Amino acid sequence: MDPLTTILMVLTAMLTVAAVALFSMSLYANMLEQFVVEVQEESAGGVQGAGAVAVRKLGTINRRFMWPGYESGMGRKLIKAGESSNWKAEDIMAFQEIGFVVGVLFGLLVANFFNVNLLWSLVGALIGIFYPIIWINDKVTKRHLAISRALPFNLDLLTLSVEAGLDFTAALAKVVEKGKHGPLREELNLVLKQLKMGKTREEALKTMIARVDLPALSQFVTALIQADKMGTSLGKVLRIQSTQ
């Protein structure tokens, strides 16, 4: 066989496998998002979908075998992704188990179609196992990006509110009321609720730092905490942060 023909056949096969793999990953991603929607509808009083029920059942079984390191690490990722109210660590493990089965089946089909070693199905299994983690990390990245983009506007609004004579809690309430919809507004609203429940400003802000784990936000919040401790004018600190 002509070498050029062989190269073209190999490239065609590789592109076909890549296209099928991307299509399968897209379907899997859509399935994950659909399950999130089902759980959100359930939380709002709707009927829980069959897919979410299956994941919940499998997650309940996983609780018995899940090691603490996985639970705590995945729990932190879910909090940073803003999904802690929808999913738990055992549910993500269930997605990984489903991904493993789907990946093996897909790998076997591809290996059989191209007549290659069946061990290549392990590649599909690995993709299936790790894709839910990649999905969560991607949601964390997108949420951090949304917070970073919303931070300047909300910081300006907070600064103007304090300079207009409002105390921190009232200024924060103004930001929550007038600020742009998004994860930063949700976090600030949670801080406001904690302040109204009796938490100190430092406690509520440090809790937000731990939840979000975003350097830009942590730097801003740390400056507020330091200003509170040293008795520095809050409006002055906010103006400096806003300018930066």
Coordinates of all heavy atoms in Angstrom, one line a residue, residues 13-58:
A13 N -8.8 7.8 10.5 CA -9.2 7.0 11.7 C -9.1 7.8 13.0 O -10.0 7.8 13.8 CB -8.4 5.7 11.8
M14 N -8.0 8.5 13.1 CA -7.8 9.3 14.3 C -8.8 10.4 14.4 O -9.3 10.7 15.5 CB -6.4 9.9 14.3 CG -5.3 8.8 14.5 SD -3.6 9.5 14.4 CE -3.6 10.7 15.7
L15 N -9.1 11.1 13.3 CA -10.0 12.2 13.3 C -11.5 11.7 13.6 O -12.2 12.3 14.3 CB -10.0 12.9 12.0 CG -8.8 13.8 11.7 CD1 -8.8 14.3 10.2 CD2 -8.7 15.0 12.7
T16 N -11.8 10.5 13.1 CA -13.1 9.9 13.4 C -13.2 9.6 14.8 O -14.3 9.9 15.4 CB -13.2 8.6 12.5 OG1 -13.1 8.9 11.1 CG2 -14.6 8.0 12.8
V17 N -12.2 9.0 15.4 CA -12.2 8.6 16.8 C -12.4 9.9 17.7 O -13.2 10.0 18.6 CB -11.0 7.9 17.3 CG1 -10.9 7.7 18.8 CG2 -11.0 6.5 16.6
A18 N -11.6 11.0 17.3 CA -11.6 12.2 18.0 C -13.0 12.8 18.0 O -13.6 13.4 19.0 CB -10.6 13.2 17.5
A19 N -13.6 12.8 16.8 CA -15.0 13.4 16.6 C -16.0 12.6 17.4 O -16.9 13.3 18.0 CB -15.3 13.4 15.1
V20 N -15.9 11.3 17.4 CA -16.9 10.5 18.1 C -16.7 10.8 19.6 O -17.6 10.9 20.4 CB -16.7 9.0 17.8 CG1 -17.6 8.2 18.7 CG2 -17.1 8.8 16.4
A21 N -15.4 10.9 20.1 CA -15.1 11.1 21.5 C -15.7 12.5 21.9 O -16.3 12.6 23.0 CB -13.6 11.0 21.7
L22 N -15.5 13.5 21.1 CA -16.0 14.8 21.5 C -17.5 14.8 21.5 O -18.1 15.5 22.4 CB -15.5 15.9 20.4 CG -14.0 16.2 20.5 CD1 -13.6 17.1 19.3 CD2 -13.7 16.9 21.8
F23 N -18.1 14.1 20.6 CA -19.6 14.0 20.5 C -20.1 13.3 21.8 O -21.1 13.8 22.4 CB -20.0 13.3 19.3 CG -21.5 13.1 19.2 CD1 -22.3 14.2 18.9 CD2 -22.1 11.9 19.4 CE1 -23.7 14.1 18.9 CE2 -23.5 11.7 19.3 CZ -24.3 12.8 19.0
S24 N -19.4 12.3 22.2 CA -19.8 11.5 23.4 C -19.6 12.4 24.6 O -20.5 12.4 25.5 CB -19.0 10.2 23.5 OG -19.1 9.4 22.4
M25 N -18.5 13.1 24.7 CA -18.3 14.0 25.9 C -19.3 15.1 25.9 O -19.8 15.5 27.0 CB -16.9 14.6 25.8 CG -15.8 13.6 26.1 SD -14.1 14.3 25.9 CE -14.1 15.4 27.3
S26 N -19.7 15.6 24.8 CA -20.8 16.6 24.7 C -22.1 16.1 25.2 O -22.8 16.7 26.0 CB -20.9 17.1 23.3 OG -22.0 18.1 23.2
L27 N -22.4 14.9 24.8 CA -23.6 14.2 25.3 C -23.6 14.0 26.8 O -24.6 14.3 27.6 CB -23.9 12.9 24.6 CG -24.3 12.9 23.2 CD1 -24.4 11.5 22.6 CD2 -25.6 13.7 23.0
Y28 N -22.4 13.6 27.3 CA -22.2 13.4 28.8 C -22.3 14.7 29.5 O -23.0 14.7 30.6 CB -20.9 12.7 29.0 CG -20.6 12.2 30.4 CD1 -21.7 11.6 31.1 CD2 -19.4 12.3 31.0 CE1 -21.5 11.1 32.4 CE2 -19.2 11.8 32.3 CZ -20.2 11.2 33.0 OH -20.1 10.7 34.2
A29 N -21.8 15.8 29.0 CA -21.9 17.1 29.6 C -23.3 17.5 29.7 O -23.8 18.1 30.7 CB -21.0 18.1 28.9
N30 N -24.0 17.3 28.6 CA -25.5 17.7 28.6 C -26.2 16.9 29.6 O -27.2 17.4 30.2 CB -26.0 17.5 27.2 CG -25.5 18.5 26.2 OD1 -25.1 19.6 26.5 ND2 -25.5 18.1 24.9
M31 N -25.9 15.6 29.8 CA -26.5 14.8 30.8 C -26.3 15.3 32.2 O -27.2 15.4 33.0 CB -26.0 13.4 30.7 CG -26.7 12.4 31.7 SD -26.0 10.7 31.6 CE -24.4 11.0 32.3
L32 N -25.1 15.7 32.5 CA -24.7 16.3 33.8 C -25.6 17.6 34.0 O -26.1 17.8 35.1 CB -23.2 16.6 33.8 CG -22.3 15.4 33.9 CD1 -20.8 15.9 33.9 CD2 -22.5 14.6 35.2
E33 N -25.6 18.5 33.0 CA -26.3 19.7 33.2 C -27.8 19.4 33.4 O -28.5 20.1 34.1 CB -26.1 20.6 31.9 CG -24.7 21.1 31.8 CD -24.3 22.0 32.9 OE1 -25.1 22.5 33.6 OE2 -23.0 22.3 32.9
Q34 N -28.4 18.4 32.6 CA -29.8 18.1 32.8 C -30.1 17.6 34.2 O -31.1 17.9 34.7 CB -30.1 17.0 31.7 CG -31.6 16.6 31.8 CD -32.6 17.8 31.5 OE1 -32.3 18.6 30.7 NE2 -33.7 17.8 32.2
F35 N -29.2 16.8 34.7 CA -29.4 16.3 36.1 C -29.4 17.4 37.1 O -30.1 17.4 38.0 CB -28.3 15.3 36.4 CG -28.5 13.9 35.8 CD1 -27.5 13.0 35.9 CD2 -29.6 13.6 35.1 CE1 -27.6 11.7 35.3 CE2 -29.8 12.4 34.5 CZ -28.8 11.4 34.6
V36 N -28.5 18.4 36.9 CA -28.5 19.6 37.7 C -29.9 20.3 37.7 O -30.4 20.7 38.7 CB -27.4 20.6 37.3 CG1 -27.5 21.9 38.1 CG2 -26.0 20.0 37.6
V37 N -30.4 20.5 36.5 CA -31.7 21.1 36.3 C -32.8 20.3 37.0 O -33.7 20.9 37.7 CB -32.1 21.3 34.8 CG1 -33.5 21.7 34.6 CG2 -31.1 22.2 34.1
E38 N -32.7 19.0 36.9 CA -33.7 18.2 37.6 C -33.7 18.3 39.1 O -34.8 18.4 39.7 CB -33.5 16.7 37.2 CG -33.8 16.3 35.8 CD -33.6 14.9 35.4 OE1 -33.1 14.2 36.3 OE2 -33.8 14.5 34.3
V39 N -32.5 18.4 39.6 CA -32.4 18.6 41.1 C -32.9 20.0 41.5 O -33.5 20.1 42.5 CB -30.9 18.4 41.5 CG1 -30.7 18.7 43.0 CG2 -30.5 16.9 41.3
Q40 N -32.6 21.0 40.7 CA -33.0 22.4 41.0 C -34.6 22.4 41.0 O -35.2 23.1 41.8 CB -32.4 23.4 40.0 CG -30.9 23.6 40.2 CD -30.3 24.4 39.1 OE1 -30.8 24.5 38.0 NE2 -29.2 25.0 39.4
E41 N -35.2 21.7 40.0 CA -36.6 21.7 39.9 C -37.2 21.0 41.1 O -38.3 21.3 41.6 CB -37.1 21.0 38.6 CG -36.8 21.8 37.4 CD -37.1 21.1 36.1 OE1 -37.4 19.9 36.2 OE2 -37.1 21.7 35.0
E42 N -36.5 19.9 41.6 CA -37.0 19.2 42.7 C -36.9 20.1 44.0 O -37.8 20.1 44.8 CB -36.1 18.0 43.0 CG -36.4 17.2 44.2 CD -35.2 16.4 44.8 OE1 -34.1 16.6 44.3 OE2 -35.4 15.6 45.7
S43 N -35.8 20.9 44.1 CA -35.7 21.8 45.2 C -36.8 22.8 45.2 O -37.2 23.3 46.3 CB -34.3 22.4 45.2 OG -33.3 21.4 45.3
A44 N -37.2 23.2 44.0 CA -38.3 24.2 43.9 C -39.7 23.6 44.1 O -40.7 24.3 43.9 CB -38.2 24.9 42.5
G45 N -39.8 22.3 44.3 CA -41.1 21.7 44.6 C -41.6 20.9 43.4 O -42.7 20.5 43.4
G46 N -40.7 20.8 42.4 CA -41.2 20.0 41.2 C -40.9 18.6 41.3 O -40.6 18.1 42.4
V47 N -41.2 17.8 40.3 CA -41.0 16.4 40.3 C -39.6 16.0 39.9 O -39.0 16.5 38.9 CB -42.0 15.7 39.3 CG1 -41.8 14.2 39.3 CG2 -43.4 16.0 39.7
Q48 N -39.0 15.2 40.7 CA -37.6 14.8 40.4 C -37.5 13.9 39.2 O -38.2 12.9 39.1 CB -37.0 14.1 41.7 CG -35.5 13.9 41.6 CD -34.9 13.3 42.8 OE1 -35.6 12.7 43.6 NE2 -33.6 13.6 43.0
G49 N -36.5 14.1 38.3 CA -36.4 13.3 37.1 C -35.8 12.0 37.5 O -35.1 11.8 38.5
A50 N -36.0 11.0 36.5 CA -35.5 9.6 36.8 C -33.9 9.6 36.8 O -33.4 8.8 37.6 CB -35.9 8.8 35.6
G51 N -33.3 10.5 36.0 CA -31.8 10.5 36.0 C -31.3 10.9 37.4 O -30.3 10.3 37.9
A52 N -31.9 12.0 37.9 CA -31.4 12.5 39.2 C -31.7 11.4 40.3 O -30.9 11.3 41.3 CB -32.1 13.8 39.6
V53 N -32.8 10.7 40.2 CA -33.1 9.7 41.2 C -32.1 8.6 41.2 O -31.6 8.1 42.2 CB -34.5 9.0 40.9 CG1 -34.8 7.8 41.8 CG2 -35.6 10.1 41.2
A54 N -31.7 8.2 40.0 CA -30.7 7.1 39.8 C -29.3 7.5 40.4 O -28.7 6.8 41.1 CB -30.5 6.8 38.3
V55 N -28.9 8.8 40.2 CA -27.7 9.3 40.7 C -27.8 9.4 42.2 O -26.8 9.0 42.9 CB -27.3 10.7 40.1 CG1 -26.1 11.3 40.8 CG2 -27.0 10.5 38.6
R56 N -28.9 9.8 42.8 CA -29.1 9.9 44.2 C -29.0 8.6 44.9 O -28.3 8.4 45.9 CB -30.4 10.6 44.5 CG -30.6 12.0 44.2 CD -29.6 12.9 45.0 NE -30.0 14.3 44.9 CZ -29.2 15.3 45.1 NH1 -27.9 15.1 45.4 NH2 -29.6 16.5 45.0
K57 N -29.6 7.6 44.3 CA -29.6 6.2 44.8 C -28.2 5.7 44.8 O -27.7 5.1 45.8 CB -30.5 5.3 44.0 CG -32.0 5.6 44.0 CD -32.5 5.2 45.4 CE -34.1 5.4 45.4 NZ -34.7 5.2 46.7
L58 N -27.5 5.8 43.7 CA -26.1 5.4 43.6 C -25.2 6.1 44.6 O -24.3 5.6 45.2 CB -25.6 5.5 42.2 CG -24.2 4.9 41.9 CD1 -24.1 3.5 42.2 CD2 -23.9 5.1 40.4

